[in-house]
Amino acid sequence: MAGSSGPIKVGDWVAVVLGLEPLRGRGTTVELLAVEPSRCGRFPAGYVPSVEDCALVLGGLTALRAVRNGLRVRRGDRLLVVGAGGPVGMAAIQIARGCGASVDAIAGRTALERCRGLGAEHVRDYRSPEAEAMRGSRSYDGVVVAAGSPAAWFGAACRGATAALTDGGSWLPSVPAAMRAGVHSVPIAAGHDCDDLTWLARRIAAGELVPVVGRRYGAAEVGRAHAELGSGGTCGARIIDHRDAPAL
Protein backbone atom coordinates (compact mmCIF):
# COMPACT_ATOMS: atom_id res chain seq x y z
CA MET A 1 0.00 0.00 0.00
CA ALA A 2 1.09 3.60 -0.59
CA GLY A 3 -0.63 5.32 2.33
CA SER A 4 -4.05 6.71 1.49
CA SER A 5 -3.34 6.51 -2.25
CA GLY A 6 -4.13 2.80 -2.46
CA PRO A 7 -2.03 -0.08 -3.81
CA ILE A 8 0.69 0.69 -6.32
CA LYS A 9 0.06 -0.94 -9.69
CA VAL A 10 2.24 -1.68 -12.69
CA GLY A 11 2.39 1.49 -14.79
CA ASP A 12 2.00 3.94 -11.88
CA TRP A 13 4.54 6.75 -11.62
CA VAL A 14 6.01 6.98 -8.14
CA ALA A 15 8.31 9.32 -6.22
CA VAL A 16 11.22 7.75 -4.34
CA VAL A 17 13.94 9.32 -2.19
CA LEU A 18 17.47 8.47 -3.35
CA GLY A 19 20.41 10.70 -2.55
CA LEU A 20 23.31 11.44 -0.26
CA GLU A 21 23.53 9.97 3.22
CA PRO A 22 23.47 13.21 5.26
CA LEU A 23 25.98 12.31 7.97
CA ARG A 24 28.39 10.30 5.83
CA GLY A 25 28.79 12.34 2.68
CA ARG A 26 28.20 9.27 0.51
CA GLY A 27 25.89 9.09 -2.46
CA THR A 28 24.11 6.47 -4.51
CA THR A 29 23.36 5.97 -8.18
CA VAL A 30 21.64 2.94 -9.67
CA GLU A 31 20.15 1.57 -12.88
CA LEU A 32 17.56 -0.69 -11.26
CA LEU A 33 16.14 -0.14 -7.78
CA ALA A 34 13.84 -2.29 -5.61
CA VAL A 35 11.83 -0.20 -3.14
CA GLU A 36 9.16 -1.16 -0.64
CA PRO A 37 5.74 0.30 -1.58
CA SER A 38 5.60 1.90 1.87
CA ARG A 39 8.46 4.17 0.78
CA CYS A 40 6.87 5.36 -2.46
CA GLY A 41 4.60 8.30 -3.16
CA ARG A 42 2.28 8.07 -6.17
CA PHE A 43 1.63 10.76 -8.75
CA PRO A 44 -1.98 11.38 -9.78
CA ALA A 45 -3.33 9.17 -12.55
CA GLY A 46 -2.57 10.54 -15.99
CA TYR A 47 0.36 12.69 -14.91
CA VAL A 48 3.75 11.73 -16.34
CA PRO A 49 6.54 13.35 -14.30
CA SER A 50 9.40 15.08 -16.07
CA VAL A 51 13.09 14.60 -15.35
CA GLU A 52 13.03 18.05 -13.73
CA ASP A 53 10.32 16.97 -11.28
CA CYS A 54 12.82 14.70 -9.53
CA ALA A 55 14.66 17.85 -8.42
CA LEU A 56 11.85 18.47 -5.91
CA VAL A 57 11.67 15.09 -4.23
CA LEU A 58 14.53 14.99 -1.70
CA GLY A 59 14.80 18.74 -1.12
CA GLY A 60 11.03 19.07 -1.08
CA LEU A 61 10.60 16.34 1.49
CA THR A 62 13.15 17.97 3.79
CA ALA A 63 11.54 21.38 3.29
CA LEU A 64 8.07 20.00 3.99
CA ARG A 65 9.20 18.55 7.29
CA ALA A 66 11.03 21.74 8.20
CA VAL A 67 8.08 24.03 7.45
CA ARG A 68 5.24 21.78 8.63
CA ASN A 69 6.72 19.64 11.40
CA GLY A 70 9.61 21.78 12.62
CA LEU A 71 8.23 25.31 12.41
CA ARG A 72 4.50 24.47 12.26
CA VAL A 73 4.00 27.44 9.98
CA ARG A 74 0.58 29.09 9.99
CA ARG A 75 -1.07 31.70 7.83
CA GLY A 76 0.33 35.13 8.62
CA ASP A 77 3.65 33.89 9.98
CA ARG A 78 6.85 35.58 8.85
CA LEU A 79 9.56 33.12 7.86
CA LEU A 80 13.24 33.46 6.96
CA VAL A 81 14.91 30.86 4.73
CA VAL A 82 18.71 30.81 4.92
CA GLY A 83 20.48 28.97 2.11
CA ALA A 84 17.47 29.61 -0.09
CA GLY A 85 19.39 28.95 -3.32
CA GLY A 86 19.55 25.19 -2.84
CA PRO A 87 16.80 22.61 -3.43
CA VAL A 88 15.68 22.60 0.21
CA GLY A 89 15.54 26.37 0.43
CA MET A 90 13.67 26.84 -2.84
CA ALA A 91 11.12 24.22 -1.88
CA ALA A 92 10.76 25.78 1.59
CA ILE A 93 9.91 29.15 0.04
CA GLN A 94 7.15 27.60 -2.04
CA ILE A 95 5.71 25.39 0.70
CA ALA A 96 5.68 28.21 3.27
CA ARG A 97 4.00 30.55 0.77
CA GLY A 98 1.42 27.84 0.16
CA CYS A 99 0.74 27.80 3.91
CA GLY A 100 0.00 31.52 3.83
CA ALA A 101 3.27 32.72 5.35
CA SER A 102 5.37 35.62 4.11
CA VAL A 103 8.93 34.58 3.32
CA ASP A 104 12.25 36.39 3.20
CA ALA A 105 15.32 34.65 1.79
CA ILE A 106 19.10 34.65 2.19
CA ALA A 107 20.97 33.20 -0.78
CA GLY A 108 24.02 33.53 -2.99
CA ARG A 109 24.09 36.11 -5.74
CA THR A 110 23.23 33.66 -8.54
CA ALA A 111 19.96 32.60 -6.88
CA LEU A 112 18.51 35.94 -5.80
CA GLU A 113 16.17 36.53 -8.75
CA ARG A 114 14.99 32.91 -8.76
CA CYS A 115 14.05 33.16 -5.09
CA ARG A 116 12.03 36.29 -5.82
CA GLY A 117 10.29 34.49 -8.66
CA LEU A 118 9.25 31.71 -6.29
CA GLY A 119 7.55 34.16 -3.93
CA ALA A 120 10.18 35.41 -1.48
CA GLU A 121 9.53 39.06 -0.61
CA HIS A 122 12.87 40.37 0.64
CA VAL A 123 15.84 38.51 -0.83
CA ARG A 124 19.37 39.32 0.29
CA ASP A 125 22.83 38.17 -0.73
CA TYR A 126 24.28 36.45 2.32
CA ARG A 127 27.40 38.66 2.06
CA SER A 128 25.48 41.95 2.01
CA PRO A 129 25.17 44.49 4.86
CA GLU A 130 21.39 44.01 4.72
CA ALA A 131 21.78 40.31 5.46
CA GLU A 132 24.12 41.13 8.33
CA ALA A 133 21.49 43.41 9.82
CA MET A 134 18.87 40.66 9.57
CA ARG A 135 20.94 38.36 11.76
CA GLY A 136 19.93 40.23 14.89
CA SER A 137 16.54 41.54 13.80
CA ARG A 138 14.42 39.36 16.11
CA SER A 139 11.59 39.68 13.60
CA TYR A 140 10.83 36.16 12.32
CA ASP A 141 8.36 33.59 13.61
CA GLY A 142 10.59 30.81 12.27
CA VAL A 143 13.86 30.27 10.47
CA VAL A 144 14.84 27.47 8.10
CA VAL A 145 18.63 27.09 8.02
CA ALA A 146 19.44 25.08 4.91
CA ALA A 147 23.05 26.27 4.59
CA GLY A 148 25.66 28.10 6.59
CA SER A 149 26.14 28.38 10.35
CA PRO A 150 22.86 28.04 12.27
CA ALA A 151 24.21 30.00 15.23
CA ALA A 152 24.71 33.04 12.99
CA TRP A 153 20.96 33.23 12.31
CA PHE A 154 19.31 32.45 15.64
CA GLY A 155 19.16 36.18 16.39
CA ALA A 156 16.87 36.71 13.41
CA ALA A 157 14.10 34.77 15.16
CA CYS A 158 11.75 36.14 17.80
CA ARG A 159 12.45 34.84 21.29
CA GLY A 160 10.66 31.54 21.75
CA ALA A 161 10.52 30.93 18.00
CA THR A 162 11.92 27.82 16.27
CA ALA A 163 14.81 27.33 13.89
CA ALA A 164 14.71 24.23 11.68
CA LEU A 165 18.18 22.91 10.83
CA THR A 166 18.36 20.69 7.75
CA ASP A 167 21.99 19.70 8.37
CA GLY A 168 21.66 17.18 11.19
CA GLY A 169 25.35 17.35 11.96
CA SER A 170 25.11 21.05 12.84
CA TRP A 171 22.33 20.66 15.38
CA LEU A 172 24.15 19.47 18.52
CA PRO A 173 27.07 21.94 18.25
CA SER A 174 24.61 24.82 17.85
CA VAL A 175 22.42 23.99 20.86
CA PRO A 176 24.28 26.31 23.31
CA ALA A 177 23.92 29.25 20.89
CA ALA A 178 20.19 28.50 20.47
CA MET A 179 19.71 28.47 24.24
CA ARG A 180 21.51 31.81 24.61
CA ALA A 181 19.32 33.29 21.87
CA GLY A 182 16.13 31.93 23.43
CA VAL A 183 15.33 29.94 20.30
CA HIS A 184 14.20 26.34 19.91
CA SER A 185 16.33 24.52 17.34
CA VAL A 186 15.17 21.27 15.76
CA PRO A 187 17.05 18.91 13.41
CA ILE A 188 15.22 17.92 10.24
CA ALA A 189 15.71 14.76 8.17
CA ALA A 190 13.97 13.86 4.92
CA GLY A 191 12.88 10.29 5.70
CA HIS A 192 10.85 8.16 3.29
CA ASP A 193 7.23 8.63 4.36
CA CYS A 194 4.87 7.60 1.55
CA ASP A 195 2.13 10.08 2.51
CA ASP A 196 4.61 12.98 2.44
CA LEU A 197 5.96 11.82 -0.91
CA THR A 198 2.43 11.58 -2.29
CA TRP A 199 1.68 15.07 -0.94
CA LEU A 200 4.68 16.37 -2.89
CA ALA A 201 3.78 14.40 -6.02
CA ARG A 202 0.26 15.82 -6.09
CA ARG A 203 1.47 19.39 -5.75
CA ILE A 204 4.10 18.91 -8.40
CA ALA A 205 1.41 17.59 -10.74
CA ALA A 206 -0.84 20.55 -9.91
CA GLY A 207 1.93 23.05 -10.65
CA GLU A 208 1.95 24.29 -7.05
CA LEU A 209 5.61 23.29 -6.62
CA VAL A 210 8.01 24.30 -9.37
CA PRO A 211 11.30 22.41 -9.83
CA VAL A 212 14.49 24.43 -10.25
CA VAL A 213 17.47 22.65 -11.78
CA GLY A 214 20.82 24.34 -11.45
CA ARG A 215 23.13 21.71 -12.95
CA ARG A 216 22.61 18.56 -14.97
CA TYR A 217 24.91 15.59 -15.34
CA GLY A 218 24.85 12.64 -17.68
CA ALA A 219 25.24 9.04 -16.56
CA ALA A 220 28.97 9.17 -17.33
CA GLU A 221 29.41 12.21 -15.06
CA VAL A 222 28.41 10.64 -11.75
CA GLY A 223 31.89 11.07 -10.31
CA ARG A 224 31.96 14.72 -11.26
CA ALA A 225 28.50 15.27 -9.76
CA HIS A 226 29.62 13.91 -6.40
CA ALA A 227 32.89 15.85 -6.50
CA GLU A 228 31.06 19.14 -7.15
CA LEU A 229 28.45 18.64 -4.44
CA GLY A 230 28.76 21.51 -1.98
CA SER A 231 31.03 23.53 -4.25
CA GLY A 232 28.90 26.67 -3.90
CA GLY A 233 27.18 28.88 -6.44
CA THR A 234 24.00 26.87 -6.06
CA CYS A 235 20.79 27.87 -7.81
CA GLY A 236 18.42 24.92 -7.57
CA ALA A 237 19.04 21.18 -7.53
CA ARG A 238 21.62 19.10 -9.34
CA ILE A 239 20.29 16.07 -11.17
CA ILE A 240 21.87 13.07 -12.86
CA ASP A 241 20.02 12.03 -16.02
CA HIS A 242 20.46 8.32 -16.74
CA ARG A 243 18.58 8.34 -20.03
CA ASP A 244 21.83 8.34 -22.00
CA ALA A 245 23.23 5.36 -20.09
CA PRO A 246 23.95 2.22 -22.19
CA ALA A 247 21.32 -0.52 -21.93
CA LEU A 248 22.02 -3.42 -19.58
Side-chain angles (χ1 to χ4, degrees), residues 90-149:
M90 288 191 168
I93 291 172
Q94 297 180 73
I95 292 171
R97 291 285 294 148
C99 293
S102 63
V103 183
D104 292 346
I106 302 294
R109 178 178 52 83
T110 58
L112 300 181
E113 287 304 317
R114 200 69 178 94
C115 290
R116 290 189 184 97
L118 294 174
E121 297 181 21
H122 300 97
V123 182
R124 300 289 182 259
D125 187 321
Y126 71 93
R127 295 160 295 192
S128 68
E130 293 86 355
E132 186 64 31
M134 293 166 72
R135 293 177 188 266
S137 64
R138 291 291 186 184
S139 56
Y140 293 96
D141 300 300
V143 179
V144 175
V145 183
S149 168

Side-chain angles (χ1 to χ4, degrees), residues 2-225:
S4 59
S5 60
I8 293 175
K9 305 181 298 297
V10 173
D12 284 346
W13 285 95
V14 298
V16 179
V17 173
L18 179 66
L20 289 176
E21 297 179 50
L23 300 182
R24 299 186 182 182
R26 300 191 313 204
T28 50
T29 180
V30 298
E31 279 296 323
L32 299 174
L33 177 68
V35 183
E36 295 178 8
S38 62
R39 294 193 171 199
C40 297
R42 190 167 61 182
F43 284 93
Y47 180 78
V48 178
S50 68
V51 171
E52 289 74 20
D53 287 342
C54 76
L56 275 166
V57 178
L58 183 57
L61 194 55
T62 304
L64 174 62
R65 292 193 170 187
V67 171
R68 182 196 62 193
N69 299 24
L71 302 185
R72 301 182 181 180
V73 170
R74 297 173 295 181
R75 182 170 298 278
D77 281 353
R78 191 178 181 203
L79 182 69
L80 178 65
V81 178
V82 181
V88 174
M90 288 191 168
I93 291 172
Q94 297 180 73
I95 292 171
R97 291 285 294 148
C99 293
S102 63
V103 183
D104 292 346
I106 302 294
R109 178 178 52 83
T110 58
L112 300 181
E113 287 304 317
R114 200 69 178 94
C115 290
R116 290 189 184 97
L118 294 174
E121 297 181 21
H122 300 97
V123 182
R124 300 289 182 259
D125 187 321
Y126 71 93
R127 295 160 295 192
S128 68
E130 293 86 355
E132 186 64 31
M134 293 166 72
R135 293 177 188 266
S137 64
R138 291 291 186 184
S139 56
Y140 293 96
D141 300 300
V143 179
V144 175
V145 183
S149 168
W153 296 98
F154 290 149
C158 302
R159 289 193 177 275
T162 299
L165 281 51
T166 66
D167 176 3
S170 69
W171 176 70
L172 192 57
S174 68
V175 168
M179 294 178 66
R180 289 193 297 270
V183 171
H184 305 289
S185 66
V186 294
I188 302 296
H192 300 83
D193 184 85
C194 62
D195 289 331
D196 287 350
L197 284 165
T198 296
W199 186 94
L200 286 173
R202 288 173 176 169
R203 277 148 186 84
I204 291 169
E208 297 171 10
L209 288 177
V210 178
V212 179
V213 177
R215 297 187 187 180
R216 300 169 183 266
Y217 303 89
E221 299 177 294
V222 171
R224 177 186 164 203

